[in-house]
Amino acid sequence: MDKFVVRGGNPLLGTIKVSGAKNSALPCMAAAILTEEEVVLENIPQVRDIETERKLLESMGAHVELGYGRAQHRTTIQCAVLSDPEAKYEIVKTMRASSLVLGPLVARAGIARVALPGGCSIGDRPIDLHLKGLELMGAKITQEYGYIEAKAERLKGAHISFDKITVTGTEDLLMAATLADGETVMENCAQEPEVTDLAEMLIGMGAHIEGAGTSTIRVKGVSKLHGVRHRINPDRIEAGTFLIAGAISGGDLNVDCLNPAHLGAVIAKLEECGVRMDIGKDNIRVRSEGSGSLKAADVTTVEYPGFPTDMQAQYMALATQAEGTSVITENIFENRFMHVPELSRMGANIRVEGRTATVRGRTPLQSAAVMCSDLRASASLVLAALIADGETILDRVYHIDRGYERIEEKLRGVGAQIRRMGEVFGKR
């Protein structure tokens, strides 16, 4: 398995570009199931989860063409025939987003068989909210041998109120509702930019959707959707990660190709910590004096537009360098402090009690061998390594490859000393 070796202490200088959002690209790729016509998606990030989704769609009978050269971030999908409407465990075992094909498959093919999803080990992300919604729309649901099967001749419009806010649940049922008979009203919906991005794509395909980006979404089903060309949103979590990298490392970093409107809570929190930022139309410049200028601030993760759970681990890396004590409360996932023991190995002073972590800042970090446990935990360890004394070795970086496109090359381009290493010895 690949490793990163990071020598800390270098200020980050120059421009770093943000890729397309993995969490937008995955549902948009799944939405291609809803039409037999060609769908062209632009600004697709080159990350492991996208490759997994490609394999998944191809296993169902779709034709998926990944771009190359100047068109390397373009993907063309055509689901003319869905010969095998099943998401096999062998393909989806590493990816939570596999449940996103459930709604589109039932809506288009009348049947779906989906393996229970895998992905990051950061807590319970129940699929039951998807299933309750599909049952209200007339689907018959059964579960056996680790698979969920859903059947319906044609889904019916329904009134769905989510028991708790769910991003993938909102996206899954939004896609299913576009081909349902009648009107579907969904309440307590996720309001994330990724949901809005998906809705814009579906509207481009001929869907009738109102209210995406609010808590209530109305969908009037149609009998058929057509092809579309759609550009994926920039990745707000990657953007936030790079903003923190600039803030803690010192230097002058321009984070380009982002949407500041999607980063309101992150920008506000960084400003509270004393980070100096110049905010443009599609870029943010971070001018930092390093950790000496940072102040502690408490943070609580909540659904969008609040502070995102996917930025909690990265913020904790910053909190180790801020003057004072920061209290970080994780309200979305119950098992999302797996990076704490690794940060502690590097010298961080962190105490965890239940869903709360207390970080005592201005702690010098030292290099160590650390283990990546999930996607965002990996990012926090990279950030910590950028400012640690000595050379830090990060193992299991396949986690970070799931959601960050060539992060080591991007960081190296702005002055970081970071290298990817494969196995030291070749195979026998």
Side-chain angles (χ1 to χ4, degrees):
M1 291 184 287
D2 285 2
K3 299 174 175 62
F4 284 162
V5 180
V6 186
R7 179 180 293 166
N10 281 29
L12 301 184
L13 302 164
T15 296
I16 193 166
K17 290 187 176 182
V18 174
S19 297
K22 169 189 79 97
N23 288 340
S24 277
L26 292 173
C28 287
M29 290 177 73
I33 293 171
L34 294 165
T35 178
E36 59 189 33
E37 297 181 18
E38 185 177 270
V39 170
V40 179
L41 299 174
E42 298 177 338
N43 202 30
I44 292 283
Q46 293 185 322
V47 296
R48 286 172 62 105
D49 276 7
I50 296 298
E51 175 62 17
T52 302
E53 183 95 340
R54 179 192 67 80
K55 292 177 181 176
L56 175 59
L57 292 174
E58 287 186 336
S59 74
M60 297 175 183
H63 175 72
V64 184
E65 181 180 318
L66 300 180
Y68 57 91
R70 295 182 64 182
Q72 63 180 326
H73 294 103
R74 180 186 302 154
T75 296
T76 303
I77 306 169
Q78 187 161 13
C79 301
V81 178
L82 292 170
S83 56
D84 187 11
E86 179 176 314
K88 297 176 177 62
Y89 176 75
E90 293 74 19
I91 298 174
V92 304
K93 61 186 177 183
T94 63
M95 187 177 68
R96 289 277 182 177
S98 59
S99 56
L100 285 168
V101 301
L102 187 61
L105 281 175
V106 179
R108 165 92 186 276
I111 185 171
R113 191 166 185 267
V114 177
L116 290 168
C120 288
S121 56
I122 56 170
D124 188 25
R125 302 194 222 182
I127 196 174
D128 64 308
L129 299 175
H130 303 232
L131 304 181
K132 286 179 182 177
L134 288 173
E135 283 182 325
L136 287 171
M137 298 172 76
K140 182 180 179 182
I141 309 291
T142 56
Q143 179 180 337
E144 59 182 4
Y145 305 114
Y147 279 80
I148 293 165
E149 187 171 276
K151 291 182 179 180
E153 286 190 17
R154 186 182 180 189
L155 295 173
K156 309 291 184 184
H159 187 282
I160 300 167
S161 181
F162 292 106
D163 294 335
K164 60 180 290 188
I165 295 174
T166 163
V167 177
T168 55
T170 299
E171 293 166 340
D172 195 22
L173 297 180
L174 174 61
M175 289 186 278
T178 60
L179 292 179
D181 182 19
E183 183 179 66
T184 299
V185 179
M186 300 193 297
E187 295 181 343
N188 198 28
C189 296
Q191 302 176 44
E192 271 74 358
E194 293 78 17
V195 174
T196 307
D197 199 17
L198 172 63
E200 288 176 358
M201 175 187 169
L202 293 170
I203 290 169
M205 296 170 71
H208 298 161
I209 300 170
E210 295 179 357
T214 72
S215 62
T216 302
I217 300 177
R218 295 179 179 272
V219 186
K220 290 183 179 178
V222 297
S223 59
K224 190 174 184 180
L225 295 176
H226 54 73
V228 71
R229 179 181 289 266
H230 178 74
R231 184 171 180 83
I232 300 298
N233 272 344
D235 193 324
R236 61 193 173 100
I237 304 303
E238 184 187 35
T241 302
F242 292 150
L243 291 177
I244 289 180
I248 64 178
S249 66
D252 189 340
L253 186 65
N254 178 44
V255 184
D256 200 13
C257 303
L258 52 76
N259 187 340
H262 295 166
L263 289 159
V266 173
I267 290 170
K269 188 56 61 176
L270 293 180
E271 287 177 338
E272 186 180 346
C273 292
V275 179
R276 294 170 56 204
M277 289 176 286
D278 299 326
I279 302 172
K281 181 181 178 182
D282 57 7
N283 75 295
I284 299 177
R285 182 182 178 187
V286 183
R287 287 180 287 179
S288 170
E289 299 170 8
S291 60
S293 61
L294 297 173
K295 299 175 292 185
D298 297 344
V299 74
T300 299
T301 64
V302 288
E303 293 86 357
Y304 188 86
F307 193 90
T309 179
D310 279 354
M311 282 298 301
Q312 177 256 107
Q314 299 92 307
Y315 181 79
M316 188 176 291
L318 178 144
T320 67
Q321 301 306 298
E323 183 69 49
T325 300
S326 302
V327 178
I328 300 172
T329 305
E330 174 56 60
N331 280 332
I332 307 300
F333 296 123
E334 74 280 1
N335 190 26
R336 206 164 200 182
F337 288 139
M338 296 175 71
H339 45 286
V340 170
E342 306 304 303
L343 290 173
S344 298
R345 283 172 54 77
M346 299 176 71
N349 186 345
I350 307 170
R351 187 181 76 254
V352 174
E353 293 181 5
R355 288 180 176 264
T356 300
T358 303
V359 186
R360 302 193 184 280
R362 290 303 301 276
T363 308
L365 299 182
Q366 300 90 36
S367 60
V370 293
M371 190 80 70
C372 299
S373 58
D374 63 69
L375 173 55
R376 307 306 173 184
S378 308
S380 76
L381 296 178
V382 169
L383 294 174
L386 291 175
I387 54 173
D389 180 31
E391 295 184 358
T392 299
I393 299 174
L394 288 81
D395 204 353
R396 295 186 180 176
V397 297
Y398 62 83
H399 284 293
I400 206 166
D401 292 336
R402 286 187 47 235
Y404 289 86
E405 180 177 346
R406 295 193 292 270
I407 190 172
E408 76 280 10
E409 294 180 19
K410 291 186 178 185
L411 290 172
R412 198 160 54 237
V414 290
Q417 293 191 69
I418 177 172
R419 287 183 58 194
R420 180 186 291 267
M421 295 181 63
E423 296 296 334
V424 176
F425 299 108
K427 293 183 178 179
R428 291 184 182 275

